[in-house]
Amino acid sequence: MPKSKGVPKAKKWQQKVKVAPEPETENDFLELADDNEKGGGKWRVGDSAKAARFFQRALDAYDTGLKKYSSSFDLTYNKALLQYQITQDPRILKHFGDETELLQETLDSHRRALQLDQENADILFNTAQVLTSLAEILGDEDNIFSKEKARKFLRESLELFSACLTKQELDFSEVQAQMDELSEESNQDGGGGVSLNPDSASEKISPHNPPEELATVVEPITSSTLLDTALAILSSLSLLADLSAPSHDSTLATITELASPLIQTKIPQYISLLSSDVPVDTIAARSSGPVLSLTATTATLSLTADQAPQISPQQAAKEEAGLAIANFTASISEAEYGSMQISEGTYLARLTSAFGPLCSGVIPNPFTNPDPEASSFLSPSLSTQNIPSAALAKLSKHQADTLAAYVGVLLDFCGSVAKKFPLSSSSSSMTSAQDSYNQTLATQRTVLTYSLHLLTLAQTSAHFSTTQKLRLRLLTGDAQLMQRRVVLEVRGQLSEWGPKDETNEPRVLRKAALAVYERVKEEMKGASGNGSGEEELARDVEGKIMVAVVLGAGMEGDDGDGVKGTVVAFVKRFGREALEEALQEGVEDGMVGRRGVGFVKGVLKLVK
């Protein structure tokens, strides 16, 4: 029997390996989690799966630490923050499962942190943000229970945002008082080296970390902090308005009352406190900053240093706030119009008044406003020749974002108007109603033409990511299908399944939209893996292609078997629920005619 060789000796390199000691203290767990978060940050762009493993180890470190230090605010807060950051990056999120479930877990973590410190402005703000994110997802679901839950979350988020802003304003006042006192002492002493810059970070000792354990850098409350919170409140109010329509109570009036002091007083006040001087090191500051940015959902193309415009903090804040206020105006106006509280004329007048000044100097505004209650207040002419093509490539990021937002609200306007049609049993009233509706169709046609001009302009910007540009192109196709619907309704062709249309314009518009959608599909193949949200975009593109193909089966007499094949292929890839959603969106967005319900039922019969 051969002798046993025994346990082989370790190689020299094996003998030098040191096993990291198991974390024992609260700080040990914080440091372990932090190291893993940094590792995830390094791989976030290049290898999302590897980054996700680092982030999971960080979460595990927090969980293990909380089993031993269950009352640790820092462990609880950091875990909650990491969870929320993961939900905001689709490339990382896909490795963690369902977004709604993870957001709910994130909300639970934030609630635990809030229980440990109810006066902490950061956790108040972050909890409100999580609630708003959950509300956005639930609000997109097509059932009344989810929408009611979304509204409940938004009301809670507004309470937390309000509490946060109150706390921040108090802290800001205290900081200002301390600065005034230091300034006075410095003047009495004949000057000195005391820094009085309120916007610079100062190193303080966190109340959750005694001096002998760990020092934490705490950002002081500045006017920029106050502005960020105010704009977050305005964004939540916009979403609440969207989810509250149609409303027949005082909900929308209450939303307007809550927004008014922000728009009229607080936001202008916060902006006025910012510096109006252009920093000398603007470009250097822009190129520096945190490496880890999980909150960005898409990568944004940036200009080179010599191209990037330099503006003051005050001007940048004015631009950001102006767009946020315009978006709120659009949301509350759409909700009030859908609730029959304002007219079509007032609705459009508000949009042009809100966005027109933001686009001044970029593209002419074809709308005039002599009487917002009039059935039409459009300029008699609108020509593509009026667009300053020489300035197309010089759009700032703010101008590009504004144009994209303006297009969105104008298309929403056309979709909202398309849902309404004044009918009456009285023949005289019917005649009057038909005249009014004919004018409405003319208004939509002009708005859609203008929207296509804006889209042409916006797509020249270098500030959008590939995914953002593809979505802008999808809007071009949407606008063309909406134009097609308007043309058919002007001709009295109310049904999508009517007789074959012998004229060219509806067919041309539909095929142009289909070509746009198919081009986006092809470009996505070349850009695969470069951006976030690709799966959702792919489903949207396929859904729009399917709708455009199906619309050609009725009046244009396209091959019925080919249409059925397109629908069946879509269902096999994305499911019947996605089919119903795509068809319903076509109706809701005004791309399908007024008898859209029958259209949807007809398509669904193809895949029983």
Side-chain angles (χ1 to χ4, degrees):
M1 182 176 181
K3 295 182 179 179
S4 172
K5 296 182 179 180
V7 179
K9 294 182 179 181
K11 296 180 180 179
K12 292 183 178 180
W13 66 268
Q14 289 178 320
Q15 293 174 336
K16 294 181 180 179
V17 173
K18 294 183 179 180
V19 179
E22 290 294 323
E24 293 291 338
T25 68
E26 179 183 350
N27 284 343
D28 289 342
F29 288 105
L30 287 169
E31 290 176 3
L32 176 60
D34 183 62
D35 288 341
N36 281 293
E37 286 195 53
K38 290 177 179 176
K42 292 177 181 178
W43 291 100
R44 181 175 61 87
V45 176
D47 188 339
S48 63
K50 189 170 185 178
R53 291 194 292 272
F54 272 107
F55 292 136
Q56 183 59 60
R57 286 196 286 269
L59 291 173
D60 292 341
Y62 288 131
D63 286 334
T64 304
L66 285 169
K67 290 178 181 179
K68 190 172 184 179
Y69 303 98
S70 58
S71 61
S72 168
F73 174 84
D74 291 324
L75 287 170
T76 306
Y77 174 85
N78 288 358
K79 175 191 173 183
L81 181 59
L82 177 57
Q83 285 177 311
Y84 185 59
Q85 289 173 334
I86 289 171
T87 66
Q88 300 308 291
D89 190 334
R91 285 166 293 195
I92 304 299
L93 175 62
K94 67 183 180 182
H95 300 287
F96 283 85
D98 182 70
E99 181 180 11
T100 304
E101 291 181 4
L102 183 56
L103 273 171
Q104 187 60 60
E105 293 174 8
T106 303
L107 178 60
D108 294 340
S109 297
H110 278 78
R111 291 195 191 284
R112 284 193 288 272
L114 198 56
Q115 290 175 350
L116 295 172
D117 188 349
Q118 299 181 12
E119 298 297 320
N120 185 287
D122 288 337
I123 195 62
L124 285 169
F125 184 92
N126 291 349
T127 306
Q129 287 280 63
V130 176
L131 286 164
T132 301
S133 296
L134 265 173
E136 288 179 326
I137 295 176
L138 294 173
D140 286 338
E141 297 182 7
D142 191 23
N143 68 78
I144 59 174
F145 302 105
S146 293
K147 291 187 183 297
E148 177 54 39
K149 191 173 183 179
R151 289 191 289 269
K152 179 182 177 182
F153 280 154
L154 283 173
R155 287 190 287 268
E156 184 181 356
S157 77
L158 288 169
E159 291 178 1
L160 294 176
F161 273 136
S162 179
C164 175
L165 186 57
T166 299
K167 179 69 167 59
Q168 289 174 336
E169 287 180 328
L170 179 61
D171 291 345
F172 181 76
S173 297
E174 292 178 353
V175 170
Q176 292 296 107
Q178 292 173 3
M179 289 174 56
D180 292 341
E181 183 178 346
L182 289 172
S183 178
E184 183 177 349
E185 292 177 358
S186 179
N187 291 334
Q188 290 176 354
D189 294 339
V194 180
S195 174
L196 300 178
N197 182 5
D199 289 322
S200 62
S202 60
E203 188 170 315
K204 300 181 180 179
I205 302 301
S206 166
H208 304 285
N209 290 303
E212 64 273 12
E213 292 187 4
L214 187 67
T216 301
V217 176
V218 179
E219 293 281 346
I221 301 300
T222 67
S223 51
S224 294
T225 310
L226 299 175
L227 180 61
D228 288 343
T229 304
L231 295 181
I233 295 174
L234 199 60
S235 178
S236 292
L237 288 171
S238 298
L239 182 56
L240 183 57
D242 292 337
L243 296 178
S244 297
S247 173
H248 303 292
D249 54 23
S250 60
T251 299
L252 298 179
T254 301
I255 292 173
T256 301
E257 291 175 4
L258 292 172
S260 292
L262 292 172
I263 295 172
Q264 298 174 7
T265 305
K266 288 184 179 293
I267 290 176
Q269 178 185 359
Y270 301 152
I271 292 175
S272 68
L273 296 173
L274 293 168
S275 172
S276 58
D277 298 327
V278 178
V280 177
D281 58 345
T282 299
I283 298 177
R286 185 182 292 112
S287 63
S288 62
V291 175
L292 178 60
S293 178
L294 290 177
T295 57
T297 56
T298 56
T300 302
L301 296 178
S302 59
L303 295 176
T304 59
D306 58 336
Q307 293 174 318
Q310 298 185 34
I311 59 176
S312 69
Q314 188 176 96
Q315 181 60 32
K318 284 181 180 179
E319 293 179 351
E320 181 184 6
L323 183 54
I325 292 171
N327 284 327
F328 171 77
T329 300
S331 293
I332 195 68
S333 298
E334 182 179 8
E336 289 178 341
Y337 178 75
S339 303
M340 303 183 69
Q341 296 179 12
I342 61 173
S343 68
E344 170 197 330
T346 299
Y347 182 7
L348 185 55
R350 287 185 183 176
L351 297 183
T352 58
S353 296
F355 283 91
L358 301 181
C359 297
S360 61
V362 180
I363 187 171
N365 189 348
F367 307 106
T368 57
N369 186 18
D371 180 6
E373 293 300 327
S375 59
S376 176
F377 46 92
L378 303 178
S379 176
S381 65
L382 175 66
S383 171
T384 55
Q385 302 299 321
N386 294 329
I387 299 179
S389 57
L392 294 185
K394 298 181 180 179
L395 289 175
S396 68
K397 186 178 188 307
H398 167 68
Q399 290 171 328
D401 290 341
T402 300
L403 288 176
Y406 198 8
V407 169
V409 301
L410 288 175
L411 295 186
D412 288 342
F413 165 81
C414 292
S416 296
V417 172
K419 298 173 190 175
K420 286 192 174 184
F421 181 64
L423 295 176
S424 172
S425 58
S426 169
S427 59
S428 60
S429 298
M430 176 68 80
T431 301
S432 175
Q434 187 64 53
D435 290 342
S436 176
Y437 188 70
N438 288 340
Q439 184 59 64
T440 294
L441 292 174
T443 299
Q444 291 181 63
R445 188 80 187 258
T446 304
V447 171
L448 289 169
T449 301
Y450 184 56
S451 298
L452 286 168
H453 294 339
L454 292 177
L455 282 164
T456 299
L457 182 57
Q459 290 178 61
T460 66
S461 172
H463 296 282
F464 292 127
S465 68
T466 299
T467 300
Q468 288 172 320
K469 285 187 176 181
L470 293 178
R471 287 206 171 275
L472 286 175
R473 290 194 184 134
L474 288 183
L475 290 180
T476 299
D478 294 349
Q480 289 167 330
L481 285 185
M482 293 169 80
Q483 280 189 323
R484 171 189 178 276
R485 186 259 308 160
V486 170
V487 170
L488 291 174
E489 294 192 359
V490 166
R491 297 174 179 176
Q493 192 74 59
L494 303 182
S495 173
E496 295 295 348
W497 302 106
K500 180 179 178 180
D501 188 270
E502 299 297 338
T503 59
N504 289 328
E505 189 173 10
R507 178 188 289 268
V508 169
L509 288 169
R510 184 188 67 83
K511 287 188 175 295
L514 182 58
V516 169
Y517 296 150
E518 290 178 337
R519 179 186 172 190
V520 171
K521 180 179 178 180
E522 288 301 314
E523 290 186 6
M524 282 191 65
K525 294 178 181 178
S528 180
N530 291 341
S532 58
E534 291 178 357
E535 183 177 349
E536 180 184 357
L537 179 58
R539 188 182 68 176
D540 289 346
V541 172
E542 294 288 357
K544 292 178 185 296
I545 289 175
M546 182 266 301
V547 170
V549 169
V550 170
L551 286 177
M555 288 169 283
E556 296 177 21
D558 283 4
D559 178 35
D561 291 336
V563 171
K564 182 175 181 179
T566 300
V567 174
V568 171
F570 181 86
V571 172
K572 284 183 177 179
R573 180 175 179 184
F574 299 105
R576 184 183 176 88
E577 183 178 344
L579 171 66
E580 294 181 14
E581 182 179 335
L583 294 170
Q584 194 60 41
E585 283 182 0
V587 176
E588 293 293 321
D589 294 342
M591 293 181 285
V592 179
R594 294 197 303 275
R595 297 184 181 177
V597 174
F599 165 76
V600 171
K601 290 181 179 179
V603 176
L604 293 177
K605 288 181 180 179
L606 298 175
V607 286
K608 282 186 176 180

